[in-house]
Amino acid sequence: MKKNNKKGFVFTPFQSENQSPFEKLFEIFKELITYTSGDFDEAIDWLRSLDKEYKLTDEHYTIDDFVEDLKKKGYIKEEIDPNGIGGTKITPKTERAIRQQALKHIFGKIKKSGSGNHKSKSPGLGDEHTGDFREYQFGDNLDKVSITESLKNAQINHGVQDFTLSENDLVVEETMHKSQMSTVLMIDISHSMILYGEDRITPAKKVAMALAELITTRYPKDTLDIIVFGNDAWTIDIKELPYLQVGPYHTNTVAGLQLAMDLLRRKRNTNKQIFMITDGKPSCLRLPDGQYYKISNGLDKYIVNKCYAMAQQARKLHIPITTFMIAQDPYLMQFVSAFTNANQGKAFYTGLKGLGEMIFEDYENNRKKRIRG
């Protein structure tokens, strides 16, 4: 009787990874805590409402059990504010988990690179191998010499019997220069980011969290500064992103650009860029006397010209500005087009869908360029 030695593939129906009750609820909780800007009580109220509607828990594991596990695992803690009022707050461990989830959701299809650094198109000092060889030149580091290729040259040039290795036999392998990038991400927090029945601030801060997590874990030599701008502009720490909220502000684009360029001037990296996420027109300036010049209706020529001047200034500093415009108004698109032309940057006229993917793709593409200062 012959044995059956056939080999092949066996296809079975897809089965999702088994998750514990805590893990399932934690995935939802991280989304809710982002939408509530870090308000734990509001997030849990939403979770209880979802539980009633979709039966997320059972008698063996309840929402109260989940809250207790959050405490035990260090995701939440009890705090007393300066007014003496106690409450439950999320911890830095949760903030990191939220950033990781944002990265997974937005950039989940990205293939990991072995080195964790970006490549430029220019050969130079580095350790990204190209597979190309050239003759040794005075000044090349000895650790770049290819021993195998050099020995092979010596055998060819001098023979095996009388082995000699000379400088003319040495070859070095080309490597790609690993460039560094300094990025400033500007986020519009004017009141229009929550108007018209659309939450625009939550996707914006999700993108910021994902980009922050990507850079700190995959490209640690790069720098990322995050700026929010309304009537004024100021920097925020990565840990503040989950709590970011829209204020009763106008849009002072000029202040944001001024601060962004001030930050980038201090960076030693040659490659610098500004990403700006906004949905509204520039409508505010701060005058030298400290007063605010605000125009809500239409595009004000004085404010617009200040924006163009900032775009041109950034261009002179070799700082490209990429604008992600979350609006489709024709007159605003014309303004962004003129602003982009003044800077020789780029503009994306987009809704909220796909915002993260576009920002990452542009970040990657810009990182591959060597901008000569």
Side-chain angles (χ1 to χ4, degrees):
M1 184 176 179
K2 293 183 178 181
K3 294 183 179 179
N4 188 354
N5 294 321
K6 292 182 179 180
K7 296 180 180 180
F9 297 97
V10 177
F11 294 93
T12 59
F14 172 77
Q15 293 182 347
S16 60
E17 182 181 350
N18 289 330
Q19 288 184 307
S20 67
F22 173 82
E23 291 170 334
K24 291 178 180 178
L25 291 176
F26 192 48
E27 290 294 309
I28 302 171
F29 172 76
K30 286 183 287 186
E31 284 291 317
L32 294 175
I33 203 69
T34 303
Y35 278 99
T36 63
S37 297
D39 189 321
F40 173 80
D41 293 330
E42 185 180 354
I44 290 299
D45 287 343
W46 276 105
L47 190 60
R48 292 187 190 278
S49 297
L50 291 172
D51 183 31
K52 290 179 181 178
E53 185 172 356
Y54 297 104
K55 309 299 181 186
L56 302 175
T57 65
D58 55 30
E59 67 275 11
H60 302 293
Y61 194 84
T62 65
I63 298 296
D64 291 334
D65 293 326
F66 172 69
V67 172
E68 191 61 30
D69 279 345
L70 287 174
K71 292 179 182 177
K72 291 178 180 178
K73 295 176 184 292
Y75 289 109
I76 59 174
K77 61 181 179 180
E78 299 295 329
E79 280 190 352
I80 299 177
D81 64 22
N83 297 322
I85 301 174
T88 304
K89 306 292 183 182
I90 63 174
T91 64
K93 185 177 181 180
T94 305
E95 295 164 1
R96 177 69 188 276
I98 296 170
R99 295 198 301 270
Q100 290 173 335
Q101 176 159 296
L103 178 64
K104 178 181 176 182
H105 286 179
I106 294 176
F107 306 143
K109 296 181 181 179
I110 299 171
K111 295 181 179 179
K112 294 181 180 179
S113 66
S115 63
N117 288 296
H118 300 284
K119 294 176 283 186
S120 72
K121 294 182 180 179
S122 304
L125 298 177
D127 54 8
E128 188 69 34
H129 299 283
T130 65
D132 297 327
F133 297 94
R134 61 171 173 80
E135 293 181 1
Y136 172 83
Q137 298 175 356
F138 179 77
D140 286 333
N141 290 332
L142 292 180
D143 61 347
K144 300 302 179 186
V145 173
S146 173
I147 300 299
T148 303
E149 293 296 321
S150 299
L151 291 176
K152 184 166 64 174
N153 279 350
Q155 290 177 343
I156 294 173
N157 295 334
H158 309 291
V160 179
Q161 301 299 326
D162 184 21
F163 179 76
T164 303
L165 180 66
S166 69
E167 181 179 335
N168 293 332
D169 301 320
L170 298 178
V171 294
V172 297
E173 184 176 1
E174 287 277 26
T175 56
M176 295 301 290
H177 177 81
K178 287 187 175 179
S179 58
Q180 297 176 346
M181 174 67 79
S182 290
T183 300
V184 172
L185 178 62
M186 295 173 51
I187 303 175
D188 184 349
I189 58 167
S190 62
H191 188 57
S192 60
M193 289 288 278
I194 56 171
L195 287 180
Y196 317 115
E198 187 174 44
D199 175 13
R200 295 166 174 173
I201 189 62
T202 299
K205 65 183 179 182
K206 278 188 177 181
V207 167
M209 287 190 290
L211 191 60
E213 188 66 13
L214 177 81
I215 290 174
T216 54
T217 58
R218 188 171 169 185
Y219 307 123
K221 294 182 180 180
D222 288 7
T223 67
L224 174 67
D225 290 281
I226 300 172
I227 290 174
V228 294
F229 63 105
N231 291 349
D232 295 292
W234 61 94
T235 59
I236 63 171
D237 293 330
I238 291 174
K239 64 182 181 181
E240 298 178 66
L241 282 169
Y243 313 100
L244 188 60
Q245 297 181 9
V246 168
Y249 306 126
H250 286 68
T251 308
N252 192 343
T253 307
V254 169
L257 292 171
Q258 286 175 332
L259 179 56
M261 282 188 278
D262 286 343
L263 291 170
L264 290 175
R265 282 191 188 97
R266 304 171 196 165
K267 308 296 183 184
R268 294 184 178 180
N269 296 340
T270 304
N271 297 316
K272 301 174 183 180
Q273 64 182 351
I274 296 172
F275 286 163
M276 179 166 63
I277 304 174
T278 181
D279 76 325
K281 59 184 177 294
S283 59
C284 177
L285 283 176
R286 193 167 188 179
L287 302 174
D289 63 1
Q291 297 294 315
Y292 291 98
Y293 177 75
K294 302 176 183 177
I295 302 293
S296 299
N297 298 322
L299 285 171
D300 180 76
K301 187 175 181 180
Y302 179 65
I303 295 176
V304 167
N305 285 338
K306 287 287 187 180
C307 290
Y308 294 154
M310 294 302 299
Q312 292 169 345
Q313 185 178 343
R315 180 183 177 184
K316 290 178 182 178
L317 294 172
H318 304 284
I319 301 174
I321 302 171
T322 303
T323 305
F324 296 88
M325 192 71 177
I326 312 173
Q328 302 294 331
D329 305 70
Y331 79 104
L332 290 179
M333 293 173 69
Q334 289 176 4
F335 157 70
V336 172
S337 177
F339 175 85
T340 302
N341 183 61
N343 175 255
Q344 291 297 294
K346 284 179 283 187
F348 295 88
Y349 308 94
T350 175
L352 298 175
K353 186 177 181 181
L355 177 65
E357 289 86 342
M358 282 187 290
I359 287 181
F360 170 76
E361 183 178 357
D362 201 57
Y363 178 78
E364 286 279 270
N365 289 338
N366 289 351
R367 285 298 285 100
K368 295 174 185 176
K369 299 176 183 176
R370 187 67 177 168
I371 304 171
R372 301 292 179 183

